[in-house]
């Protein structure tokens, strides 16, 4: 009895074996974790510290003369408008691509296609910007005219149609292309991990391939797709160079997507105005940066919440 | 054969003689300037010369830097195109020796700047003058006559098509299409916008009521980033019109602007002329040549839409080295050679002879105490 008891008790009393490698690895991992928190805290502290003069200044001193809310308001609208538009276009496309690559395409084509789509993420945003300005915007002018004529009763397409094509609509489409690889990469990953048992069971019960995807793959991948979409949204919200080059911004708050006058976005506005800004102008720009920081934070937290809520009935278990 | 050799020899000797004469002339000129500069041998300059300010001057500054450092290779020259406001701030704070600025110092800045300088006196020289052209893309039309009221109407959006009576009235000979006008303005904060809106504010009367600003003061309209951005949009859009450095017009149409009874095209001479005839800001120091550009000029051959950018510095610095460097640099900048080098690189207008003489008096007075 005692002989059998002794070997059970000893391991719990002795600490686990720790070699130097364990300590070093644990230390560096912990250090990295703390470091990223410090960086984030540093950025937040900088933004808040520099934004305070703009937050406390009388509204007449803020550029534009209508106070901080009057300055940042249209920018927030522009930022959300472009990013949401991009998300609406990119998400269905990315899910389609991911399903095709994982379940429809022959293996060889799938590998090439996946590689090509990942390549989209490697193109610098300034190149997207020039492409949007020189190619896409002029090409979309007839489309703008058509939408203004036929869909003009929707406030988003109220017109008058832009003559240059450098509109929020064009920006949304370019941003959609830019965030496509992010969403499709994550969607591809989760779809390919849909449990083989579920899939085979669905097929064995007589489901067609589409029904199998509907029953076994999509419910399983839903939270992953949402997470990918939110990552994409984060990128679209913060995209600077491409928007600064393409968008004809600077107008007040309007949801009209196809006219010459569009609200600018926070990030592109900072990029355009910072080089010549002085004094309170700089503080105002940084305050708008703080707003963008908070929006991105909110989007990420929302994504977390959605993913956690859906995880219970995703079919993953 | 023999004859031809002889002729060649004669030509050669004549050429040689004239070269010698010329170089002798040049040498005497050189010694002349050295005498007037007074502050020791100019060839031995060294140390740092830092400036900051207007990005409009950047291309010209590159040319000046190249020319200046060719002459004084030991001086460590730098110019940070941080923007006019930042340039003035840094100069006043004493972190740079001089500022480049699209706007002259205001009264408050002037007082602070005088405190920063050893002798309490500053110089402000309008050394960079650049005409701003109204550039358009209209099929079949290369040149238009526009009055300030018409330009203001186009940019406020009151005039919407190219065959509007206001435009047609000034251009009886042109065949104007009914193309819609797309006015394009700068999306970024720029001295070009500041000067263009200042012109409209002063010259267009009640058609334009927005206060001049570096950021486009009206809501709406097409906006693009930087000079290259607006030019790119105008190039690719039929019926578009913008304002930009005249040197960037390329193949696009350029408007002649109404001045008095005539229409004047943007040119280096016309730009220099309006600066020369503009009144000085009153109550300034002896070497403060800040001017109020006469936007409402009626003078013949004067083009009123110009960007004037200043060099601001001290007549005397705490360190003799800085004083000598600034003096030598300004001397080069206002010289014919320096202005020509800038014009080739930046496409701006070289300053006129009388402006040079005016600036020369200031540069000569820069001295260590």
């Amino acid at each position: 009895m005692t002989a059998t008891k002794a070997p059970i008790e000893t391991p719990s009393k002795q600490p686990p074996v720790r070699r130097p490698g364990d300590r070093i690895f644990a230390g560096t991992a912990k250090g990295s974790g703390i470091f990223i928190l410090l960086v984030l805290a540093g950025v937040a502290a900088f933004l808040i510290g520099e934004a305070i003069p703009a937050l406390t200044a009388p509204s007449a001193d803020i550029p534009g003369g209508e106070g901080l809310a009057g300055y940042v308001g249209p920018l927030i609208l522009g930022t959300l408008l472009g990013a949401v538009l991009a998300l609406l276009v990119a998400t269905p496309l990315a899910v389609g691509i991911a399903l095709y690559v994982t379940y429809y395409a022959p293996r060889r084509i799938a590998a090439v296609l996946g590689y090509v789509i990942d390549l989209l993420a490697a193109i610098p945003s300034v190149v997207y910007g020039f492409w949007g300005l020189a190619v896409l915007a002029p090409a979309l002018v007839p489309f703008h005219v058509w939408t203004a004529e036929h869909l003009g009763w929707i406030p988003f397409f109220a017109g008058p149609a832009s003559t240059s094509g450098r509109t929020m609509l064009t920006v949304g489409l370019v941003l959609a292309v830019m965030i496509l690889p992010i969403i499709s990469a994550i969607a591809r990953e989760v779809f390919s991990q849909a449990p083989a048992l579920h899939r085979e069971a669905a097929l064995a019960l007589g489901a067609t391939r589409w029904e199998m995807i509907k029953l076994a793959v999509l419910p399983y991948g839903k939270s992953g797709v949402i997470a990918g979409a939110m990552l994409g949204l984060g990128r679209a919200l913060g995209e600077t160079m491409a928007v600064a080059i393409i968008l004809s911004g600077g107008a007040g708050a309007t949801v009209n997507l196809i006219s010459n006058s569009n609200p600018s976005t926070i990030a592109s506005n900072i990029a355009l105005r910072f080089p010549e800004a002085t004094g309170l102008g700089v503080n105002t720009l940084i305050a708008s940066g703080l707003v963008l920081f908070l929006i991105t934070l909110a989007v990420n937290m929302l994504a977390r919440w959605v993913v956690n809520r859906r995880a219970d009935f995703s079919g993953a278990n | 054969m023999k004859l031809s050799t002889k002729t060649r020899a004669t030509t050669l000797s004549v050429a040689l003689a004239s070269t010698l004469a010329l170089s002798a002339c040049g040498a005497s000129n050189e010694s002349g300037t050295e005498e007037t500069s007074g502050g020791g041998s100019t060839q031995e300059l060294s140390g740092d010369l830092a400036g900051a300010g207007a990005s409009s001057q950047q291309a010209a500054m590159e040319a000046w830097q190249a020319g200046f450092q060719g002459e004084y290779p030991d001086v460590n020259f730098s110019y940070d195109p941080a923007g006019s406001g930042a340039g003035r701030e840094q100069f006043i704070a004493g972190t740079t020796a001089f500022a480049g600025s699209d706007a002259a110092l205001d009264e408050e800045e002037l007082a602070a700047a005088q405190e920063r300088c050893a002798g309490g006196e500053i110089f402000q020289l309008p050394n960079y003058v650049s005409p701003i052209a109204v550039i358009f893309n209209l099929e079949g039309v290369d040149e238009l006559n526009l009055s300030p009221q018409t330009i203001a109407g186009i940019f406020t959006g009151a005039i919407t098509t190219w065959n509007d009576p206001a435009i047609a009235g000034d251009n009886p000979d042109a065949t104007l299409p009914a193309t819609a006008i797309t006015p394009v303005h700068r999306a970024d904060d720029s001295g070009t916008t500041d000067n263009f809106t200042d012109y409209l504010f002063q010259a267009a009367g009640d058609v334009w009521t927005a206060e001049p600003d570096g950021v486009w003061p009206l809501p709406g309209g097409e906006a693009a980033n930087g000079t290259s951005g607006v030019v790119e949009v105008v190039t690719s859009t039929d019926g578009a019109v913008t304002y930009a450095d005249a040197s960037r017009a390329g193949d696009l149409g350029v408007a002649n602007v109404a001045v008095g009874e005539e229409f004047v095209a943007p040119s280096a001479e016309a730009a220099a002329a309006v600066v020369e005839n503009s009144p000085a800001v009153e109550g300034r120091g002896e070497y403060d040549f800040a001017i109020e550009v006469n936007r409402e000029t009626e003078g013949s051959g004067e083009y009123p839409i110009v960007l004037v950018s200043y060099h601001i510095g001290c007549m005397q610095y705490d360190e003799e080295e800085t004083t000598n460097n600034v003096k030598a640099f300004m001397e080069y900048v206002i010289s014919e050679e320096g202005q020509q080098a800038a014009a080739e690189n930046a496409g701006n207008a070289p300053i006129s002879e009388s402006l040079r003489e005016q600036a020369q008096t200031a540069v000569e007075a820069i001295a260590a105490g």
Side-chain angles (χ1 to χ4, degrees):
Chain A
M1 204 58 179
T2 42
T4 48
K5 241 184 187 173
I8 296 168
E9 272 178 18
T10 4
S12 65
K13 275 182 183 170
Q14 263 180 4
V17 180
R18 281 169 68 92
R19 299 197 179 83
D22 284 292
R23 287 202 193 89
I24 293 168
F25 184 75
T28 46
K30 194 174 168 187
S32 309
I34 294 172
F35 177 72
I36 196 68
L37 280 180
L38 284 179
V39 168
L40 198 64
V43 170
F46 161 78
L47 285 176
I48 293 169
E50 291 287 312
I52 282 176
L55 295 174
T56 53
S59 61
D61 291 352
I62 302 287
E66 286 166 20
L68 197 60
Y71 184 84
V72 183
L75 296 177
I76 297 176
L77 177 73
T79 308
L80 293 178
L81 218 53
V84 169
L85 188 64
L87 201 62
L88 288 180
V89 175
T91 311
L93 213 58
V95 170
I97 291 168
L99 286 177
Y100 177 73
V101 168
T102 42
Y103 291 110
Y104 283 95
R107 188 159 292 179
R108 195 169 292 169
I109 295 180
V112 173
L113 195 64
Y115 177 74
V116 168
I117 290 172
D118 287 345
L119 209 62
L120 280 179
I123 300 174
S125 60
V126 68
V127 174
Y128 277 111
F130 280 123
W131 172 71
L133 177 67
V135 181
L136 192 65
L140 283 179
V141 170
F143 178 66
H144 282 84
V145 174
W146 185 88
T147 33
E149 255 173 50
H150 296 91
L151 300 172
W153 47 274
I154 306 172
F156 291 117
F157 304 113
S162 165
T163 43
S164 67
R166 297 169 58 245
T167 60
M168 196 54 92
L169 184 68
T170 308
V171 166
L173 293 179
V174 172
L175 287 179
V177 177
M178 295 177 76
I179 65 176
L180 199 57
I182 300 175
I183 307 179
S184 77
I186 293 175
R188 225 162 67 205
E189 203 58 37
V190 289
F191 288 160
S192 69
Q193 284 172 7
L197 268 178
H198 291 201
R199 286 188 277 128
E200 282 161 11
L203 291 173
L205 288 170
T208 61
R209 191 179 283 191
W210 153 239
E211 286 162 346
M212 179 272 282
I213 288 172
K214 195 172 71 170
L215 290 170
V217 178
L218 288 183
Y220 178 82
K222 199 180 266 170
S223 60
V225 170
I226 291 171
M230 290 298 152
L231 270 183
L233 184 63
R235 162 118 206 239
L237 285 171
E239 178 49 42
T240 309
M241 224 36 233
V243 182
I245 293 172
I246 301 169
L247 187 66
S248 159
T254 167
V255 294
N256 191 345
L257 297 176
I258 59 165
S259 79
N260 279 331
S261 317
N262 305 277
S264 193
T265 72
I266 293 178
S268 72
N269 183 65
I270 294 176
L272 291 175
R273 298 281 156 84
F274 190 74
E276 294 277 335
T278 47
L280 199 58
V282 176
N283 299 120
T284 311
L285 290 177
I286 292 177
S288 73
L290 180 66
V291 173
L292 180 61
F293 186 77
L294 294 177
I295 293 176
T296 322
L297 201 67
V299 165
N300 282 333
M301 286 166 76
L302 189 74
R304 281 282 146 131
W305 180 71
V306 170
V307 170
N308 288 340
R309 208 173 57 107
R310 299 260 172 160
D312 304 334
F313 45 96
S314 68
N317 30 27
Chain B
M1 183 73 180
K2 222 177 185 179
L3 195 88
S4 72
T5 330
K6 206 176 176 185
T7 352
R8 203 183 287 163
T10 333
T11 344
L12 198 85
S13 61
V14 168
L16 207 76
S18 55
T19 319
L20 278 173
L22 272 176
S23 60
C25 191
S28 73
N29 265 354
E30 236 161 61
S31 64
T33 43
E34 254 167 45
E35 267 165 40
T36 47
S37 66
S41 58
T42 46
Q43 291 303 322
E44 283 168 32
L45 291 181
S46 63
D48 295 328
L49 178 55
S55 49
S56 56
Q57 292 189 25
Q58 195 176 1
M61 198 55 86
E62 279 162 16
W64 287 327
Q65 175 172 8
F68 177 69
Q69 294 208 305
E71 250 174 275
Y72 305 102
D74 293 339
V75 178
N76 186 12
F77 181 92
S78 68
Y79 182 78
D80 177 11
S84 300
R88 295 196 299 271
E89 271 173 23
Q90 289 181 26
F91 167 67
I92 289 169
T95 50
T96 54
F98 72 95
S101 172
D102 292 342
L105 295 174
D106 61 28
E107 297 295 331
E108 201 177 310
E109 287 171 325
L110 185 63
Q114 282 167 338
E115 220 145 277
R116 174 242 189 279
C117 291
E121 203 174 355
I122 61 141
F123 66 80
Q124 266 196 117
L125 308 173
N127 283 346
Y128 179 87
V129 177
S130 180
I132 299 168
V134 176
I135 301 173
F136 58 88
N137 175 359
L138 191 57
E139 219 175 311
V141 184
D142 295 328
E143 218 180 288
L144 278 178
N145 294 331
L146 298 175
S147 69
Q149 289 78 15
T150 312
I151 298 175
I154 288 173
F155 278 92
T156 53
I159 298 173
T160 53
T161 55
W162 283 106
N163 59 359
D164 191 280
I167 302 174
D170 285 335
N171 299 279
D173 300 333
T175 34
L176 296 166
T179 316
I181 301 181
T182 307
V184 183
H185 60 81
R186 291 279 290 268
D188 47 335
D189 191 342
S190 87
T192 313
T193 305
D194 202 5
N195 282 278
F196 184 66
T197 50
D198 184 42
Y199 165 73
L200 293 178
F201 185 67
Q202 293 192 37
D206 52 5
V207 186
W208 184 276
T209 50
E211 289 277 336
D213 195 353
V215 177
W216 188 250
L218 298 181
E222 179 91 12
N225 181 19
T227 303
S228 37
V230 289
V231 171
E232 165 71 32
V233 172
V234 171
T235 309
S236 61
T237 312
D238 190 29
V241 57
T242 191
Y243 55 92
D245 274 2
S247 58
R248 301 291 292 272
D251 297 332
L252 296 164
V254 174
N256 303 323
V257 172
V259 176
E261 291 299 306
E262 54 176 5
F263 290 93
V264 181
S267 69
E269 296 76 33
V274 75
V275 172
E276 198 178 313
N277 295 327
S278 291
V281 177
E282 282 174 22
R284 292 298 178 99
E286 195 182 349
Y287 302 114
D288 186 338
F289 299 123
I291 56 164
E292 301 258 18
V293 178
N294 185 5
R295 308 282 186 194
E296 293 172 280
T297 178
E298 301 207 334
S300 175
E302 294 183 12
Y303 184 79
I305 322 178
V306 290
L307 180 146
V308 177
S309 200
Y310 296 90
H311 289 143
I312 304 169
C314 296
M315 296 306 291
Q316 198 183 322
Y317 295 86
D318 290 329
E319 286 138 18
E320 195 182 333
E321 195 178 67
T322 315
T323 311
N324 289 336
N325 286 347
V326 168
K327 185 185 176 107
F329 179 66
M330 286 304 152
E331 205 154 81
Y332 174 73
V333 165
I334 61 168
S335 71
E336 210 160 316
E337 185 195 342
Q339 286 289 318
Q340 207 52 50
E344 274 164 28
N345 212 33
N348 62 321
I351 55 175
S352 64
E353 200 53 49
S354 60
L355 274 179
R356 187 192 331 284
E357 277 164 23
Q358 183 189 24
Q360 192 72 41
T361 60
V363 172
E364 271 166 24
I366 300 174

